[in-house]
Amino acid sequence: AIHVRQHCVANLPPNPGRYRMLFATGKARRRLLLPGDPVDSRRDGKILPDPNEVPPQYRELIDWAKQRYESARETKSVYEKLIELRGTGKGLWPEGADQFIRELRKDWE
């Protein structure tokens, strides 16, 4: 438990380990790190263990985790999708959105 916290949790300060394998979601909760998770800037170590450094019966788990990480990298976060929308409606109201709304509301009184 203390070993995991000190060496592997990406969003906690390194002490002394710098791996980025897990992400703390709560006081005693951890999950695998995913692309886009905030990481302590001092952590720059590996994200997955080297399959040759673990017993053979766990290598399938490493393959699964690698596939999960890679597929998550291909999926954009909600924030990335929203940022991509910036400026997409720019040409809808040549007079500007504020003027367009004023025109819509002028007969409301």
Side-chain angles (χ1 to χ4, degrees):
I2 194 75
H3 177 80
V4 168
R5 185 186 188 287
Q6 291 179 339
H7 295 285
C8 298
V9 182
N11 55 327
L12 296 177
N15 181 21
R18 303 170 83 81
Y19 295 154
R20 301 169 291 163
M21 296 181 180
L22 301 173
F23 185 81
T25 60
K27 185 172 179 155
R29 297 184 57 92
R30 308 289 184 261
R31 65 164 167 77
L32 292 175
L33 180 71
L34 293 174
D37 285 341
V39 174
D40 186 289
S41 62
R42 294 165 288 179
R43 288 206 180 251
D44 55 6
K46 60 186 171 182
I47 295 171
L48 295 167
D50 182 342
N52 298 318
E53 295 177 354
V54 299
Q57 66 264 31
Y58 299 115
R59 290 181 186 157
E60 186 177 325
L61 288 172
I62 295 171
D63 291 339
W64 171 82
K66 184 177 181 179
Q67 183 179 14
R68 181 178 186 264
Y69 185 85
E70 293 298 325
S71 66
R73 184 183 308 200
E74 296 167 6
T75 305
K76 294 180 182 177
S77 72
V78 171
Y79 303 109
E80 289 172 317
K81 291 175 184 176
L82 285 172
I83 289 170
E84 287 179 355
L85 290 174
R86 183 175 184 204
T88 56
K90 189 175 183 179
L92 292 177
W93 305 285
E95 68 275 4
D98 291 335
Q99 181 60 35
F100 179 78
I101 297 298
R102 275 191 221 98
E103 288 293 320
L104 286 177
R105 293 180 177 171
K106 72 180 181 183
D107 296 327
W108 283 13
E109 300 169 1

